[in-house]
Amino acid sequence: MTLKQGLSLSLAATVIALVSACGKQEPPPLPKAEAPKPAEQIVTVKIGHVAPLTGGIAHLGKDNENGARLAIEEANARGVTLGGTKVKFDIVPEDDQADPKVGTTVAQKLVDAKVAGVVGHLNSGTSIPASSIYSQAGIPMISGSATNPKFTEQGFKGVFRVVGRDDQQGPAVANYLASQSKPKVVAVLDDATAYGEGLANEVEKTLKAAGIKVLPREKGTDKTIDWKAVLTKIKGKKPDAIFYGGMDATGGPLLKQGRELGIKAVFSFGDGACTDKMSELAGQAADGLICSQAGIPVQAASKRFLDGYKAKFNIDPILYAPFTYDAANLLIAAMVKANSAEPAKYLPELTKIGFEGASGRIEFDEKGDRKDAEMTIFTMKGGKITPIAIIKSGKTMSVEDYMKMAGAAPAPAAPVAATEAPKAPEKK
Amino acid sequence: MDIFLQQLINGLTAGSVYAVVALGYTMVYGIIQLINFAHGEVVMIGAMVAFSVIMALAGAQPGLPPVVIVLAGVAAAVPVCMAVGYLLERLAYRPLRHAPRLAPLITAIGMSIVLQHLALLIWSRDPIAFPQIIPLQVFEIGGAAITGVQIAIMLVSVVMMAGLSAMIYRTRLGAAMRATAENPHVASLMGVDIDRVIAVTFLIGAALAAVAGVMVGTYYGIAHYTMGATLGLKAFSAAVLGGIGNMAGAMLGGLLLGVVEALGAGYVGELTDLCHASFLSDALVERCARDGHLILFGSNYQDVFAFLVLILVLVFRPSGLLGERVADRA
Amino acid sequence: MRRVRGFLHTRTGLWIGVALIALALLALPFALAAVGTAWVRITNLAILFVFLSLGLNIVVGYAGLLDLGYIAFYAVGAYAYALLASPHFGLHLPFWLILPIGAVIACIFGVLLGAPTLKLRGDYLAIVTLGFGEMIRIFLNNLSRPFNVTNGPQGIALIDPFRLGPVDFSRNETILGLDISGPIKYYYLLLAVLLAVIVINLRLQDSRIGRAWQAIREDEVAARAVGINTMHMKLLAFAMGASFGGIAGGMFAAIQGFISPESFVLVESIMVVSMVVLGGMGNIGGVILGAVLLSFVPEILRYTVDPLQQALFRRQVIAPEVIRMLLFGFALVLMMRFRPAGLWPSRVRKREMAEQE
C-alpha cells in the first residue's frame, strides 16, 4: 500500500467514524479511526495533570507528573472496563509554570479537552484559582501537594487533596520537636511562600501553645541561598532548635551555613525539605535533622510503587510522587466503582471512597481533605532520611509499633498495599 | 561586637561575588552603553560546567586534593563561558549596535530564556548539589567564624580585580578599551579595531562570570538553572550603585551591597520593633506582652533595604557613587 | 491593492472598515469558544496585557522614561480591588466604585515613584524603577505581620466577580440559545474598556501633553528651553501610566478571583516592556500588536509543539514545555534582529532610524 492510498484509506475511515458518531445521538463509545473492529471498542478517558514543568521547582513538577503517569499506565496494563467497554486512560500533562494566571488558562484548557478528572495542581497558589474553574465544570480535582488549608475551604464540590494540610503537618512536627528535643527557645524561619509561611505559622502556633519561646520570625525567599546574615542574628539569641518552612533547595544551604557558623541547635523542617537532597546539599551537617512528611513518605511508600517508579523512570521519586500516584489511582478506583468515567456519576463514589494507597489509607472528610492523615517524622542518618516515628490520630508511635498495627489490619483490596512500607528505607 | 564582625564577614563574602559579577556588567556598559541582561546566565553556565567537571573528577580520582579539582572546574568553566559570551555578543548584540537603545534589551531577555532552557536540557531541572569535597575549616577572628572557602573567595576576588585594573591601565589592549569607551568613532580613526575590543570585553566579562559561578557553587554548595537571574539582578544593582561604567565603582558597589544586605537583615528588625514604642497605645502593650515583639521590618525586607540604599544613593548622586558621566541616551 | 487603499481613505470606506472590524471583534469570542473556552480566557488576559502595554507606552514610548517596575501598579490595582471586594476584610464594594479607587491609588504610587526619580536618566532610572517594582511586591508579600493587611504569600481568595444587577460575570448561562460563559462576558466588558483606553491614548498622542512628552523624549534640555515644565510632564506620564495599570489590575483580580504576590514578579514587568518595544514604541497599533503577539505566541506553542514533535519523530524528544520556552526566546532575538525599531514602529521613530543610517 502506498502512502497515498494509506492516507486516503485512513481518511475514509475517519469520515465513516465521524458520520457514524454523528448519526447516533448517544456518542459514548466513540470508535477511534484506527480501531476498525467494532467488537473491541476502546474508549479513551483523559486525566489531566498540572504542575510547573519549567521554572524554579520544575523538578518537583516532573516528579508529580511521573507519579500520576505511573498510576495511569499501570491501570492501562491491568485493563479497566467501564460500563461494558474497555477503557484506555490518557494523561494530559500541562505546565502551569507555578503562575496563577497560567494556572487558570491551563485549567480551562483541560476543561475544554473534556478530561474526566484532574490530578494537581502542585502549588496551592495555582490550585486555588484553578479549583473554581474545575468545580464550575463539575470535574473533580485531587491535588497531591497543595497543602494550604484554604484550598479545600472555599466550599467547592469535587476539590480534594491526598496530602496533609499545613495545619495537620505543622502541629505534628512541632509536637515531636517539643516532646523529644525539649527546647526552651526555638527560631522559626520560612521562605515567604504560601507553603513555607503557612507551615511555619502552624509550627509557631503549636510551639507557643506548648509554652516554648519562639523568636521573631525570620524570612528569606524561595531563591535565598545566602542565609548567613539571618543565621548570625539567630545565633546571637541562642535557640535550642530551629524550624524552617521551605524547600530543600533553600533549606540545604541554610543547614550547611548554620553549621559553618557553629550553631548547635537542632534543625527541623517540613516535607518540602524532607528529602535525601538535604544531605547532598549540606553534607555531614545534615545528620541528625528532624523533618516531617504528610502521610507515609516516599521512602516508606509501598515497595511496589517505589520499584515501579524506579523501573519506569530510572530515578527515585523526589517528594510528592506517591501522592499524585494515589490521586490518579483514586480517580480510577472511583470510576471503577461507579462503572463510569462521567464526573457526575463517579464523584459521589470519590467522596465516600476508602482506599489503600502508596501513601497509606485514604478517606476524605466532607471538605475533601484526607481524613486522619498520618504524619511521619524522619531523621537524617548516613545521608538518607529515615523514619523514626509515625503520628496517627494525635498519637505518636514508633515505626515498629505502626508496622505491627498496620500488619494487624485486614489486607487491603486495592492494587497497592501499604503494609510493606517501612521495609523500604532500611533496605537503602 | 562579634556578631557585628560576623555580619561584616558575611556581607563581604557575598559582596565579593557581587563585585566580580558586577565587573562584567560595568565593563560592557562602559564600552558600548549596553546592559548585558544575559550576564547572570553566563554565571549560571559557569557554575554548571564546573559542577560537571568537579563531579566527574571527584568520582574518578578521589585522591586528588580538593583545590586541584576546583581549579580544574574553573579551567573548564572559563573557556565555555567565554564562548557563550562571545556568541552572545555576536548573535544578540553586534547586529543591533545601531538599533534603538531598547532593542538589545529584548534580545538579551531572549538569550537569557534560551540559555536557561538549554541548561535545563543539559543539567536537568533539579537543583544540583556540588560534591562536598572541601573539608570545612573554620577560623575564629574576634569571636566570628570564617571558613576557608570564604577566605579563598575574598582573596580570589581581590586578585582578579587587581589583575583587571592592571590590564586596563597598563596594557595596549586596556588603552584601546578605554579609548573605545571614551569615543568609539575617534578610537577607530586612531586605528583601534572596535569590533575586536568589544568582543574582548565580552570575553573578559564572561571569564570573570565563570569564576564567579564556581565561587557561588562551592560556597553555597548548590546550582540551579534559574540561579543566574537573581544573582544577575543583584550584581547589576551593585554596578549601578557604584556608577555603571566605572570599574572601581562596581567593586565598591558590590561590597557595599553585600554589607548592606547583611547588616539590614541583621539589625533593622530590632530597630523597627514597635514594642520600643509600646507606650503609644494600650493595644500595643497588650500585643507586646503576648508576643514579646512587634517587628515591622524584619529580615524579610532584606532586598528592600538593598534597593532603598540604591535609590537613596541615586537620588543624591544621580550617576552612582563613583560615576561621572551621565548616561543620557534615552 | 491601491484601489482598496484608496477606498479605505474615503469616509464611507473607513466606516465600513471599522464596522467590519467591530463585527469581527464582537463575533470573536464565539469563534474562539468553538475551539475552546481556554482561548477566550487567553484572549482576556491578552487584552489585559494590551491595557498594560498601552499604559507603559505612555511612560516609555511617549515620554521616553524606561520603567522596569511597571507591574507594581498592576499589583496595586489588583490588591485595591481584592481588599475592597472579598471576605478578607469583609468588604464587598461594587466594581464600578473600586476600579476608579484602584486607579487613583495606583496614580498616587506613580507620583510617589516619579517624584524622587525625576533627576535620573536612562539606565539609572531603569534600575530604580525595577527596585521600586520589587519593593512593592516584597511589601505585598510581607504585610501579613505584625498586622495582617495583604494576607502575605497566602494571597486573597474568593474575590468578588463583576456584578451588574442580576448579571454575574463569573457564571455561565444560556441567553437566547447561546452559551455565554463567564469568560465571554468578561471579554465584552474588556473590549468596551479597551475601546475607551485606545480613544484616550489616541487623543493624548496628538494633544499638547503628548507633544510635550515627545519633546522631552527627543531632547530634554531643548524641551525645557522652549518653556515645557519637564518635571510636571514627567510626573504626569508616570501618573497616567500608573492609573492604566491600576485599572487593569482591578480587572485582573476580578477575573481571577484569587491573587497573590507571585503574579506580580519582575518577569511580568519585563514582559510588558518587551511587548511595547517589540510592537513598536510610541505607536498605539504597534504596542497592541506586540501585546497580542507575546500573549498568544507561548499559548499557541503550548498547543502545537507537542503534536508537531510527535508527528516528526513519533515520540517526545525534548519536553514540549522546554521547546516552547526555547522557541519563545529565539523568537524575541530574531524579531529584534530584523525589526530593531519594532514590528510596527511609529512614523517619528521610523524617521529617526532613517536619519541614523
Side-chain angles (χ1 to χ4, degrees):
Chain A
M1 181 162 72
T2 66
L3 188 69
K4 219 173 172 184
Q5 276 173 326
L7 223 96
S8 54
L9 254 179
S10 66
L11 223 115
T14 318
V15 168
I16 293 169
L18 277 173
V19 167
S20 60
C22 294
K24 287 180 279 181
Q25 275 304 319
E26 291 284 290
L30 208 146
K32 291 187 85 181
E34 298 92 326
K37 280 178 276 179
E40 270 189 47
Q41 281 173 339
I42 294 181
V43 178
T44 304
V45 173
K46 290 187 203 158
I47 292 180
H49 178 271
V50 189
L53 301 174
T54 50
I57 53 166
H59 57 294
L60 296 179
K62 197 72 194 172
D63 186 48
N64 273 20
E65 188 190 308
N66 287 345
R69 193 179 284 277
L70 181 66
I72 284 169
E73 291 187 3
E74 281 179 4
N76 284 339
R78 219 168 39 233
V80 175
T81 311
L82 294 180
T85 21
K86 267 197 84 140
V87 171
K88 180 177 169 286
F89 292 101
D90 242 357
I91 185 168
V92 187
E94 288 292 346
D95 173 18
D96 67 10
Q97 296 162 275
D99 177 346
K101 178 177 82 225
V102 181
T104 50
T105 307
V106 161
Q108 187 70 55
K109 190 185 165 193
L110 289 179
V111 171
D112 291 345
K114 300 209 164 45
V115 295
V118 175
V119 177
H121 302 192
L122 189 153
N123 310 67
S124 300
T126 54
S127 300
I128 294 172
S131 61
S132 85
I133 294 174
Y134 295 128
S135 110
Q136 244 197 61
I139 296 173
M141 77 186 289
I142 309 180
S143 175
S145 47
T147 53
N148 188 334
K150 211 182 275 167
F151 174 54
T152 47
E153 284 185 354
Q154 306 173 90
F156 292 141
K157 248 183 78 180
V159 174
F160 304 90
R161 73 174 120 211
V162 283
V163 70
R165 295 157 50 121
D166 290 337
D167 49 5
Q168 295 171 315
Q169 191 190 156
V173 64
N175 278 327
Y176 187 83
L177 194 66
S179 63
Q180 300 299 313
S181 309
K182 301 201 169 47
K184 290 191 186 67
V185 182
V186 179
V188 178
L189 294 83
D190 69 64
D191 65 357
T193 62
Y195 161 76
E197 195 208 40
L199 188 59
N201 286 350
E202 296 302 332
V203 167
E204 179 171 336
K205 216 186 283 171
T206 312
L207 288 174
K208 277 184 176 164
I212 293 167
K213 187 176 176 225
V214 177
L215 295 174
R217 181 75 56 86
E218 302 290 343
K219 281 167 187 267
T221 69
D222 55 349
K223 294 188 185 69
T224 301
I225 48 172
D226 191 329
W227 292 95
K228 284 244 160 122
V230 166
L231 284 168
T232 302
K233 182 175 169 188
I234 288 177
K235 188 190 173 191
K237 306 210 173 121
K238 302 190 172 57
D240 308 302
I242 292 175
F243 177 85
Y244 173 62
M247 311 304 289
D248 50 10
T250 46
L254 173 87
L255 188 48
K256 178 172 142 83
Q257 289 159 28
R259 298 299 186 217
E260 280 175 13
L261 286 172
I263 295 177
K264 303 260 168 5
V266 179
F267 276 81
S268 53
F269 303 89
D271 54 355
C274 203
T275 64
D276 290 344
K277 198 107 203 162
M278 291 298 283
S279 83
E280 276 178 54
L281 288 170
Q284 287 287 310
D287 267 19
L289 65 78
I290 290 174
C291 63
S292 66
Q293 288 191 359
I296 308 283
V298 170
Q299 280 76 358
S302 82
K303 191 163 171 339
R304 189 182 140 151
F305 163 74
L306 287 176
D307 293 347
Y309 191 101
K310 179 98 189 179
K312 172 126 187 64
F313 305 109
N314 208 19
I315 39 167
D316 286 318
I318 306 174
L319 192 56
Y320 296 117
F323 296 95
T324 50
Y325 175 78
D326 281 349
N329 271 329
L330 276 166
L331 287 174
I332 294 168
M335 288 175 196
V336 170
K337 275 209 171 136
N339 206 13
S340 164
E342 261 178 64
K345 290 204 180 123
Y346 81 82
L347 182 56
E349 292 295 336
L350 194 55
T351 45
K352 59 182 189 215
I353 206 160
F355 183 82
E356 297 294 333
S359 63
R361 185 171 174 78
I362 300 170
E363 280 172 66
F364 293 116
D365 65 12
E366 63 284 355
K367 283 186 202 144
D369 287 323
R370 188 166 171 173
K371 231 186 243 177
D372 194 19
E374 289 104 337
M375 298 288 155
T376 313
I377 306 292
F378 289 81
T379 188
M380 185 68 77
K381 252 188 215 159
K384 293 273 167 199
I385 56 165
T386 314
I388 42 176
I390 285 172
I391 296 162
K392 190 171 170 70
S393 324
K395 271 191 296 189
T396 308
M397 56 185 116
S398 70
V399 177
E400 293 78 37
D401 290 347
Y402 178 77
M403 284 251 316
K404 272 180 223 152
M405 204 189 77
V416 182
T419 33
E420 301 163 69
K423 272 185 214 146
E426 282 142 28
K427 215 182 61 151
K428 212 170 171 186
Chain B
M1 190 58 211
D2 52 340
I3 290 191
F4 180 75
L5 190 63
Q6 183 73 58
Q7 294 291 26
L8 220 52
I9 293 173
N10 300 338
L12 286 175
T13 318
S16 303
V17 178
Y18 293 160
V20 173
V21 182
L23 279 174
Y25 279 102
T26 223
M27 279 172 61
V28 168
Y29 191 89
I31 299 243
I32 49 173
Q33 282 77 47
L34 170 121
I35 303 169
N36 177 12
F37 258 104
H39 191 60
E41 312 312 332
V42 182
V43 179
M44 179 268 294
I45 301 271
M48 291 296 196
V49 170
F51 157 79
S52 295
V53 172
I54 292 174
M55 195 73 186
L57 274 184
Q61 309 270 340
L64 280 179
V67 179
V68 174
I69 299 182
V70 173
L71 282 180
V74 176
V78 168
V80 173
C81 285
M82 286 170 96
V84 173
Y86 180 75
L87 281 178
L88 266 180
E89 199 268 330
R90 234 15 251 276
L91 299 179
Y93 301 138
R94 189 180 295 185
L96 293 169
R97 212 172 279 160
H98 301 290
R101 217 177 51 89
L102 284 181
L105 184 76
I106 307 298
T107 52
I109 293 163
M111 289 309 290
S112 288
I113 296 174
V114 169
L115 287 176
Q116 275 190 21
H117 290 88
L118 285 179
L120 187 163
L121 284 179
I122 301 172
W123 289 283
S124 93
R125 300 173 162 85
D126 302 326
I128 289 168
F130 263 62
Q132 310 270 334
I133 47 168
I134 303 172
L136 178 62
Q137 287 170 292
V138 181
F139 306 94
E140 290 261 331
I141 305 176
I146 182 166
T147 66
V149 176
Q150 282 180 303
I151 296 174
I153 286 180
M154 289 193 226
L155 280 180
V156 170
S157 311
V158 170
V159 168
M160 284 201 306
M161 292 182 215
L164 194 65
S165 304
M167 196 215 77
I168 287 185
Y169 290 103
R170 296 276 149 84
T171 64
R172 281 182 67 84
L173 178 67
M177 286 169 77
R178 279 180 290 141
T180 311
E182 203 64 44
N183 187 331
H185 188 63
V186 175
S188 74
L189 290 179
M190 300 290 146
V192 175
D193 182 349
I194 303 288
D195 280 346
R196 201 176 134 256
V197 168
I198 293 174
V200 168
T201 308
F202 270 88
L203 289 180
I204 296 173
L208 292 174
V211 179
V214 182
M215 285 181 184
V216 174
T218 42
Y219 180 37
Y220 299 114
I222 190 170
H224 189 241
Y225 79 94
T226 57
M227 68 188 272
T230 323
L231 189 63
L233 181 61
K234 290 269 172 70
F236 175 54
S237 311
V240 176
L241 182 63
I244 193 158
N246 183 308
M247 311 276 286
M251 302 178 208
L252 179 66
L255 293 176
L256 192 65
L257 191 70
V259 171
V260 164
E261 281 185 346
L263 295 184
Y267 293 101
V268 179
E270 255 142 64
L271 295 178
T272 57
D273 189 343
L274 268 190
C275 291
H276 296 317
S278 60
F279 51 84
L280 287 179
S281 88
D282 287 345
L284 280 184
V285 174
E286 194 184 309
R287 271 206 64 172
C288 287
R290 184 156 55 90
D291 295 344
H293 57 85
L294 209 59
I295 288 172
L296 283 182
F297 303 108
S299 54
N300 39 346
Y301 291 94
Q302 190 171 1
D303 290 342
V304 170
F305 306 144
F307 281 123
L308 260 185
V309 169
L310 179 74
I311 291 174
L312 282 179
V313 167
L314 289 184
V315 165
F316 292 106
R317 280 193 65 88
S319 44
L321 287 173
L322 301 183
E324 287 152 29
R325 295 178 306 150
V326 172
D328 189 11
R329 299 217 300 151
Chain C
M1 190 65 205
R2 185 167 296 164
R3 199 181 294 165
V4 173
R5 220 173 244 184
F7 177 67
L8 274 178
H9 279 288
T10 65
R11 222 182 157 75
T12 35
L14 191 71
W15 281 115
I16 291 175
V18 168
L20 281 176
I21 293 174
L23 212 64
L25 284 175
L26 284 178
L28 183 68
F30 292 99
L32 288 172
V35 185
T37 310
W39 285 105
V40 185
R41 248 171 224 283
I42 294 168
T43 310
N44 287 350
L45 285 175
I47 297 180
L48 281 180
F49 273 101
V50 171
F51 286 162
L52 287 177
S53 306
L54 286 173
L56 184 64
N57 184 44
I58 295 177
V59 186
V60 181
Y62 293 170
L65 307 163
L66 179 51
D67 184 347
L68 285 182
Y70 186 66
I71 215 71
F73 307 121
Y74 189 51
V76 167
Y79 268 89
Y81 188 96
L83 293 177
L84 294 176
S86 75
H88 183 57
F89 287 144
L91 292 172
H92 295 280
L93 303 184
F95 78 90
W96 43 265
L97 191 63
I98 315 177
L99 281 187
I101 295 178
V104 169
I105 296 178
C107 176
I108 293 171
F109 272 86
V111 174
L112 275 182
L113 165 68
T117 56
L118 286 175
K119 277 194 292 180
L120 299 178
R121 292 178 183 187
D123 303 310
Y124 291 94
L125 180 66
I127 186 73
V128 167
T129 49
L130 186 156
F132 178 79
E134 281 294 279
M135 279 165 65
I136 295 281
R137 184 185 61 82
I138 296 170
F139 271 100
L140 292 175
N141 205 28
N142 287 297
L143 281 179
S144 54
R145 58 178 49 221
F147 309 103
N148 188 0
V149 184
T150 62
N151 211 24
Q154 313 293 334
I156 298 174
L158 298 173
I159 301 169
D160 298 346
F162 285 171
R163 276 195 206 96
L164 255 183
V167 183
D168 181 328
F169 278 78
S170 69
R171 294 275 134 211
N172 302 333
E173 51 200 306
T174 312
I175 299 170
L176 301 171
L178 275 178
D179 276 332
I180 314 243
S181 61
I184 292 185
K185 282 185 245 172
Y186 276 120
Y187 170 86
Y188 286 120
L189 184 78
L190 287 167
L191 197 65
V193 182
L194 178 64
L195 208 65
V197 170
I198 292 177
V199 168
I200 293 174
N201 267 278
L202 281 172
R203 305 295 300 166
L204 213 54
Q205 196 171 20
D206 298 322
S207 67
R208 280 179 63 88
I209 299 172
R211 263 174 259 184
W213 282 334
Q214 205 178 316
I216 293 174
R217 185 184 74 202
E218 298 305 320
D219 190 335
E220 194 173 334
V221 180
R224 204 178 301 144
V226 296
I228 293 170
N229 187 335
T230 55
M231 293 291 145
H232 281 181
M233 281 300 153
K234 280 183 175 182
L235 268 187
L236 188 65
F238 270 119
M240 291 207 64
S243 20
F244 279 120
I247 294 175
M251 293 198 285
F252 175 71
I255 293 175
Q256 285 287 91
F258 170 85
I259 55 165
S260 60
E262 58 198 331
S263 290
F264 309 103
V265 288
L266 177 61
V267 180
E268 301 281 317
S269 283
I270 292 179
M271 276 311 277
V272 181
V273 174
S274 305
M275 289 168 180
V276 173
V277 177
L278 193 86
M281 268 196 292
N283 183 20
I284 293 173
V287 169
I288 296 175
L289 179 69
V292 170
L293 261 185
L294 285 200
S295 307
F296 275 98
V297 166
E299 294 306 323
I300 292 173
L301 290 175
R302 183 192 290 279
Y303 278 82
T304 49
V305 162
D306 200 37
L308 205 68
Q309 188 173 216
Q310 298 280 4
L312 283 178
F313 304 106
R314 295 186 169 273
R315 67 195 172 89
Q316 242 184 43
V317 184
I318 303 176
E321 64 278 357
V322 179
I323 302 182
R324 190 181 78 223
M325 295 308 286
L326 281 175
L327 286 178
F328 183 61
F330 277 121
L332 287 183
V333 175
L334 288 178
M335 283 199 255
M336 277 294 116
R337 170 78 182 72
F338 293 106
R339 306 287 311 230
L343 295 172
W344 185 357
S346 69
R347 258 168 295 159
V348 187
R349 287 263 156 175
K350 231 189 228 161
R351 220 183 306 135
E352 282 167 19
M353 283 295 290
E355 278 163 16
Q356 264 188 9
E357 293 298 308

